[in-house]
Amino acid sequence: MDFKIGIVEWAFPFPGPYGLKIAADMGIEGMELDFGDYETGFKLSNPVIQKAYLECGREYGVEFPSIALNALNAHGMRNERDTYDGMIAVETIYRGVQAAADMGIPIVQVPSFDDGAIKSEEDFWNTCEKVRLACDLAKRHGIVIAFENVLSAKESLRMIREVGCDNLKIFYDSQNYHLEKGYSQQEILSELKDHICQIHIKDGFNQTISSALLGKGDTGFYKTVQLIKASHCATWLLLENYYNQKPLSLLNADAFSLLEEDIRTVRRAFA
């Protein structure tokens, strides 16, 4: 199985359509796009912006393996439909799935962090309801919905059962489970491998997000790599270290140098 190296747009030091040229020059094969914020009108709902990304993607040979509805972290799916945030979450899902369909993007990521973090049974059921809505909308277009959160493996499998849609998958992250819950990254991966569709790759230590280059944190990065290689659970490996933000930016003022080092690490590890 051949792995592909990508990056998430919100971690790339030069986001936007022209940034795809720089990404391609660095050997990056794909970019997970950020759908945009509710407060600024969801940038990827705009046909002009969609066209700009698609044209640059074709010109520079960069794929779009997924689109993330990161607005759901500010207006969480855990909120009731008739609340302010709940209504925005529903709108985000409707418009985000449509944007993916318009752009031919096969996977829509629906995250649950910050305001969307699942902390109670009520949060769980409200989230399930909206994930089911996303799956129903996406199925019409042959699109997969991938949820990302820090539920335990048992609760993640429970969510899959309760949503009950065959186009629902999991977006695995190589640091978040250890960072937020102290879970073993490797145990989570082993239990969920059959349901994972794409992977965010980052590292860190001392309970700080994206605070180490790959393999230099406390998440057991290389053990996770071996499990990914053995299970063949995903093709796309999407870098999510924040190279132009502290604390990583303290290592080198040139964010692209840090990114290049992580790309070399991934190539060696997954060779």
Side-chain angles (χ1 to χ4, degrees):
M1 179 180 183
D2 293 328
F3 294 98
K4 293 185 176 183
I5 300 176
I7 192 167
V8 301
E9 185 179 22
W10 53 98
F12 192 64
F14 193 147
Y18 187 75
L20 298 173
K21 179 185 185 302
I22 299 173
D25 290 344
M26 299 180 74
I28 290 172
E29 300 169 87
M31 184 175 289
E32 180 183 7
L33 299 180
D34 179 8
F35 178 52
D37 299 325
Y38 167 78
E39 289 75 13
T40 52
F42 301 124
K43 67 178 182 183
L44 285 182
S45 277
N46 189 308
V48 173
I49 297 176
Q50 290 178 4
K51 182 181 178 182
Y53 276 95
L54 292 172
E55 288 182 349
C56 288
R58 284 192 296 269
E59 181 174 355
Y60 303 120
V62 177
E63 298 179 55
F64 304 122
S66 48
I67 182 173
L69 308 188
N70 287 327
L72 295 175
N73 292 326
H75 309 282
M77 294 185 289
R78 70 174 185 83
N79 294 289
E80 293 278 359
R81 270 181 179 247
D82 60 355
T83 64
Y84 174 77
D85 286 314
M87 288 187 286
I88 293 176
V90 169
E91 181 181 352
T92 302
I93 290 167
Y94 269 98
R95 295 179 65 180
V97 170
Q98 187 59 55
D102 292 341
M103 297 181 71
I105 296 176
I107 293 177
V108 173
Q109 179 211 343
V110 289
S112 294
F113 299 99
D114 302 327
D115 179 67
I118 301 168
K119 299 178 181 179
S120 67
E121 187 72 1
E122 182 180 10
D123 291 347
F124 179 89
W125 287 109
N126 284 336
T127 301
C128 282
E129 175 203 26
K130 294 175 187 65
V131 171
R132 188 179 301 112
L133 167 66
C135 288
D136 288 343
L137 293 170
K139 194 167 187 176
R140 305 172 192 174
H141 304 286
I143 290 172
V144 167
I145 296 297
F147 68 78
E148 184 184 11
N149 51 51
V150 288
L151 292 174
S152 67
K154 180 180 178 180
E155 287 299 287
S156 292
L157 294 173
R158 178 184 172 215
M159 178 170 284
I160 289 173
R161 288 195 306 272
E162 296 298 345
V163 171
C165 296
D166 58 10
N167 62 329
L168 179 60
K169 298 292 182 180
I170 294 172
F171 220 114
Y172 176 82
D173 184 282
S174 69
Q175 187 193 14
N176 285 345
Y177 296 97
H178 175 74
L179 171 70
E180 301 213 12
K181 294 292 184 71
Y183 295 149
S184 162
Q185 290 288 152
Q186 295 75 42
E187 288 180 11
I188 292 286
L189 177 58
S190 294
E191 293 185 56
L192 299 180
K193 63 182 185 297
D194 293 337
H195 303 277
I196 293 169
C197 63
Q198 287 181 7
I199 297 173
H200 286 159
I201 293 184
K202 59 178 177 279
D203 208 342
F205 59 91
N206 197 29
Q207 293 185 300
T208 304
I209 192 169
S210 180
S211 54
L213 292 175
L214 297 177
K216 298 183 179 180
D218 59 12
T219 64
F221 173 74
Y222 289 106
K223 293 180 180 179
T224 300
V225 167
Q226 292 307 312
L227 286 172
I228 294 170
K229 291 169 71 173
S231 66
H232 304 300
C233 58
T235 299
W236 279 102
L237 311 168
L238 299 164
L239 297 165
E240 202 189 18
N241 264 339
Y242 304 129
Y243 303 100
N244 59 352
Q245 299 178 34
K246 293 179 181 179
L248 272 188
S249 61
L250 296 174
L251 298 176
N252 192 323
D254 183 357
F256 291 106
S257 293
L258 297 173
L259 172 54
E260 287 172 341
E261 185 171 344
D262 267 359
I263 292 172
R264 288 193 295 269
T265 298
V266 171
R267 285 179 176 157
R268 287 193 302 267
F270 286 90

